[in-house]
Amino acid sequence: MRLKPFSLILLSILFNFSELQASETYILSYRAQVKNAVVISESFYLTPSMKEIHAKPMQVLKIDATNESNLHEILKKNKDVLLEFLMKYGTHTRSHEKVHNYKSSSLISITIPPTYITVDFKNDYAIITRLLLD
């Protein structure tokens, strides 16, 4: 009889451990506005997916996560690497340019549309996988 409570505790520990190791799905999006070659606004959003999705894993990015466990901090520190990775697979741009009295001005909008990614932590690395919906 004493084995049952111990077995239940062991199973609950194993179950919780497997939850920590499972990958999490997020939706990431980015937008920036550049006026005359100067970034005037920038937004970077990362939110957990609210529902289960059916998608195929595509490209993978490994980011060093040594000494850091907070996903938002890891992505903030490596934002340039992450944006360069995602911009290869779909970026929207819009450009408005004017020339008045031989002077030009421009306003460029750069957008990475909402993209599904998974994040796994293994061996001091955050492994980010871009997903393609089925």
Side-chain angles (χ1 to χ4, degrees):
M1 288 303 237
R2 291 195 180 265
L3 282 178
K4 284 188 178 184
F6 178 73
S7 297
L8 290 175
I9 291 171
L10 183 60
L11 285 174
S12 70
I13 290 171
L14 289 173
F15 181 73
N16 288 336
F17 180 76
S18 67
E19 283 184 347
L20 292 174
Q21 298 300 316
S23 64
E24 296 286 327
T25 303
Y26 295 92
I27 302 170
L28 185 142
S29 63
Y30 174 80
R31 180 182 165 105
Q33 287 191 321
V34 181
K35 184 173 184 175
N36 299 328
V38 176
V39 176
I40 60 171
S41 71
E42 188 175 42
S43 60
F44 183 84
Y45 296 106
L46 179 73
T47 183
S49 178
M50 299 294 273
K51 63 179 184 170
E52 186 177 326
I53 62 163
H54 298 286
K56 291 185 270 189
M58 299 304 281
Q59 297 78 17
V60 175
L61 173 68
K62 273 176 96 171
I63 295 177
D64 183 24
T66 309
N67 302 326
E68 190 63 62
S69 60
N70 183 327
L71 177 62
H72 291 282
E73 287 300 314
I74 293 168
L75 295 180
K76 186 176 170 182
K77 287 179 184 177
N78 296 283
K79 182 175 75 170
D80 292 338
V81 173
L82 180 62
L83 291 176
E84 183 179 333
F85 168 71
L86 291 174
M87 283 185 178
K88 293 177 188 175
Y89 308 108
T91 304
H92 298 240
T93 58
R94 180 177 288 165
S95 176
H96 301 282
E97 298 181 35
K98 292 183 195 175
V99 177
H100 183 67
N101 292 333
Y102 303 105
K103 294 180 184 177
S104 69
S105 65
S106 66
L107 178 64
I108 301 169
S109 297
I110 302 167
T111 305
I112 296 176
T115 304
Y116 284 98
I117 62 170
T118 59
V119 180
D120 295 296
F121 289 96
K122 293 182 184 169
N123 300 332
D124 293 333
Y125 285 95
I127 301 169
I128 298 167
T129 304
R130 189 177 79 87
L131 302 175
L132 186 61
L133 295 176
D134 289 336

